[in-house]
Amino acid sequence: MALEDRNRVVILEDRVENVSGAEFPLSFDGQETAFNMESFRDSFDIKIIRVTPTDIEFDLIGVDASIANALRRVLIAEIPTMAIEKVYMINNTGIVQDEVLAHRLGLIPIKADPSEFLWKHDGSVPTDQNTIVFRLDVTCEVNRAAETGETDPKIKYINSAVYSSQLVWDPKGDQGVRFESNPIKPVHDEILITKLRPGQTISCELHCEKGVGKDHAKFSPVATASYRLLPEIQILEDITGDDAELFRSCFPPGVVDIVEERGVRKAKVVNPRKDTVSREVLRHKQFEGKVRLTRVRNHFIFNVESTGAIPPETLISQALDVLVEKCEISKTALAAAVKNGEEDE
Amino acid sequence: MDTSEDLPNYIALQTVPERKFDILPGASADLTSVTFCVKEEDHTLGNSLRWAIMQNPQVDFCGYSIPHPSEAKMNIRIQTTEKSNAIDAMDKGINDLKSVCQLMKAKFQQRCQEGDYARID
């Protein structure tokens, strides 16, 4: 019981208890002393619940919060993607200012595999290995075929709204061959960039480069990456009859069910995962001492939504690769630091 | 400027700063108490590395801090018993963290292969 309890974050009416774990060697009598890869391998698990073309929901069980958080931070800020970085304005007579238009263009997600491209350093020449070129050429005109008295601008004018589908990819060098089977284009076609009226035109050349979310949020490959701890509802004393109905209504539908045992209707927790931990049950006096709301400290329910540039399963693998890369870089840097230390003496 | 071919192609960054790990002055002579200054890192590596280092029973103290959020620097201090030293503790921590991440990736890819999940297209 004590071992299990150590693993739980207790949620009370006005505060949260036992938030930080003391999972370090020698903090408890009889605890396993050193970090053991074997015991970690046994207690660790990943369960994938659902995968769609843009989302993935999976469970990480048996790791510490710092590792789960590191994974979340890497997903948001340290996985590279391609995004429009330089906008060469040739002509912009629209009402939206150059810089605002350039900002909007930068935020459009581009469906290109960033691992196919190299990093571009400041000041170096754009090549077909590190840059993707798009062109945007739109002019708005009056639609002669529309009736007089037509008010809807989409019918009255041609190209009154500029959408991301009007970005035209200009394959340079061997890009045409490399990306023959999956041409480079924006992820979504219906992103409204700007609006024009007759006589206004936009003509610009767009260069996409590789970057990470740490530099600018436009490079982030996820719409959002978040995790929550698995909730747990412990019923300490039986809750029966009408109280059981009230108990069930305190939680989202599907969490608590009423079962009939020996003629008595009792409340039973069937799916705590669906619980949103609103603590409604702690507001009612009749449940005082009968229920305990906790969260399991090392069971993380991740929900990652990709912008569409990189499929979600690839995102997780890449994030873990990035963490491994950080460790490798740190190892060489540590050896260098030790050497520097010896030289300085 | 075109030395881009010589630089290793990292996944997540362009260049590694020159003195990425630095031992701050004030370390004990036998290197059991050391403060490292790590450039271009933040809580992502700091907190997970701190956890990995703390799993070592020879480590008396391990903590990290970010002196100022505007500067990309992280200080990490390790104090060990006489049986080990901070450099070894840091090395072991990095190795353990790397093994944990590699295990996570292998398990994740295994689960992807098994395909035991709801796939909505």
Side-chain angles (χ1 to χ4, degrees):
Chain A
M1 181 65 181
L3 187 71
E4 267 221 342
D5 265 356
R6 256 193 273 147
N7 210 5
R8 302 289 191 266
V9 177
V10 184
I11 295 158
L12 301 169
E13 187 185 302
D14 54 355
R15 64 187 195 282
V16 181
E17 272 189 346
N18 208 18
V19 174
S20 52
E23 296 289 319
F24 305 122
L26 309 171
S27 28
F28 300 101
D29 291 328
Q31 192 194 13
E32 182 73 15
T33 46
F35 175 71
N36 193 342
M37 264 317 274
E38 289 309 316
S39 61
F40 176 76
R41 202 189 300 261
D42 291 332
S43 60
F44 169 69
D45 199 11
I46 293 188
K47 288 200 182 85
I48 305 182
I49 310 295
R50 195 187 69 242
V51 177
T52 73
T54 48
D55 299 62
I56 182 169
E57 185 184 337
F58 67 97
D59 283 12
L60 213 60
I61 306 166
V63 277
D64 188 60
S66 52
I67 314 254
N69 194 34
L71 180 63
R72 182 193 65 90
R73 285 174 69 98
V74 168
L75 280 167
I76 293 174
E78 295 193 56
I79 296 182
T81 51
M82 305 296 290
I84 295 171
E85 175 85 358
K86 293 202 165 41
V87 174
Y88 296 94
M89 271 314 174
I90 298 160
N91 192 9
N92 175 19
T93 45
I95 210 165
V96 173
Q97 299 91 333
D98 285 352
E99 59 270 20
V100 177
L101 191 57
H103 179 247
R104 288 180 68 81
L105 287 167
L107 293 170
I108 298 170
I110 308 285
K111 199 174 179 67
D113 184 3
S115 54
E116 298 267 355
F117 293 90
L118 298 175
W119 291 92
K120 180 178 179 301
H121 306 270
D122 280 335
S124 69
V125 177
T127 70
D128 60 344
Q129 301 299 318
N130 60 26
T131 309
I132 301 172
V133 179
F134 284 92
R135 274 210 69 111
L136 179 63
D137 293 296
V138 188
T139 306
C140 181
E141 292 150 354
V142 177
N143 183 6
R144 306 262 172 232
E147 300 167 4
T148 46
E150 175 66 62
T151 48
D152 184 357
K154 285 200 169 43
I155 305 171
K156 202 166 159 195
Y157 312 118
I158 304 173
N159 285 335
S160 68
V162 179
Y163 292 96
S164 52
S165 54
Q166 288 164 293
L167 254 53
V168 178
W169 175 42
D170 180 12
K172 299 283 189 196
D174 64 354
Q175 284 174 359
V177 175
R178 271 163 65 199
F179 302 106
E180 209 178 318
S181 47
N182 48 339
I184 297 176
K185 58 182 184 67
V187 177
H188 306 281
D189 281 336
E190 327 83 35
I191 299 176
L192 176 65
I193 300 175
T194 184
K195 292 186 181 176
L196 300 171
R197 286 296 178 265
Q200 296 177 347
T201 171
I202 295 180
S203 180
C204 50
E205 184 170 299
L206 317 169
H207 287 202
C208 300
E209 287 170 21
K210 189 159 151 173
V212 283
K214 241 192 336 191
D215 180 25
H216 193 289
K218 71 188 176 193
F219 292 114
S220 184
V222 292
T224 183
S226 62
Y227 64 80
R228 61 191 175 102
L229 269 59
L230 179 74
E232 193 192 35
I233 304 155
Q234 296 173 357
I235 299 182
L236 306 168
E237 275 173 38
D238 281 345
I239 297 171
T240 55
D242 283 339
D243 273 359
E245 292 286 346
L246 178 60
F247 190 74
R248 182 168 62 173
S249 69
C250 289
F251 296 97
V255 176
V256 168
D257 216 5
I258 307 214
V259 292
E260 189 128 345
E261 244 178 61
R262 281 177 254 143
V264 177
R265 298 175 71 237
K266 271 193 344 189
K268 184 166 162 235
V269 177
V270 289
N271 192 1
R273 199 194 163 87
K274 274 190 167 183
D275 188 20
T276 50
V277 196
S278 64
R279 293 177 288 169
E280 172 67 23
V281 72
L282 299 176
R283 285 183 60 220
H284 299 280
K285 258 206 144 36
Q286 57 253 66
F287 301 128
E288 223 167 299
K290 291 191 180 176
V291 70
R292 195 156 169 260
L293 291 179
T294 63
R295 284 193 193 261
V296 182
R297 190 182 291 119
N298 58 4
H299 187 135
F300 300 94
I301 302 171
F302 267 84
N303 204 315
V304 179
E305 181 181 336
S306 156
T307 49
I310 305 176
E313 319 89 64
T314 323
L315 269 178
I316 316 290
S317 305
Q318 271 210 319
L320 293 165
D321 277 338
V322 168
L323 275 172
V324 171
E325 185 180 72
K326 273 184 190 281
C327 293
E328 283 170 355
I329 294 175
S330 302
K331 236 172 115 82
T332 24
L334 178 67
V338 174
K339 221 163 66 116
N340 281 334
E342 281 160 19
E343 282 167 10
D344 285 344
E345 275 161 39
Chain B
M1 197 58 220
D2 225 43
T3 51
S4 43
E5 276 76 37
D6 313 343
L7 296 170
N9 197 18
Y10 296 115
I11 307 173
L13 46 114
Q14 291 200 38
T15 53
V16 178
E18 205 192 287
R19 281 196 153 207
K20 187 165 173 89
F21 266 65
D22 208 3
I23 296 179
L24 292 183
S28 67
D30 55 358
L31 289 183
T32 53
S33 303
V34 174
T35 306
F36 298 93
C37 177
V38 189
K39 295 202 176 71
E40 306 287 320
E41 288 295 346
D42 54 6
H43 306 278
T44 308
L45 188 67
N47 202 9
S48 29
L49 196 52
R50 179 201 58 85
W51 172 81
I53 293 170
M54 279 299 280
Q55 301 303 307
N56 184 349
Q58 297 306 323
V59 169
D60 278 337
F61 174 92
C62 179
Y64 83 98
S65 77
I66 295 177
H68 196 280
S70 307
E71 275 183 18
K73 277 191 198 155
M74 175 189 70
N75 289 348
I76 180 162
R77 180 165 180 86
I78 304 177
Q79 282 172 208
T80 64
T81 61
E82 329 76 47
K83 298 200 197 120
S84 175
N85 67 57
I87 314 283
D88 287 343
M90 174 65 97
D91 197 46
K92 183 169 189 301
I94 296 175
N95 287 337
D96 285 345
L97 184 59
K98 187 170 158 183
S99 321
V100 166
C101 295
Q102 285 171 330
L103 181 69
M104 283 168 68
K105 182 173 174 205
K107 200 75 185 240
F108 181 77
Q109 294 194 315
Q110 181 198 339
R111 292 281 180 251
C112 276
Q113 291 273 22
E114 286 167 9
D116 186 21
Y117 49 83
R119 214 202 156 83
I120 303 160
D121 285 315

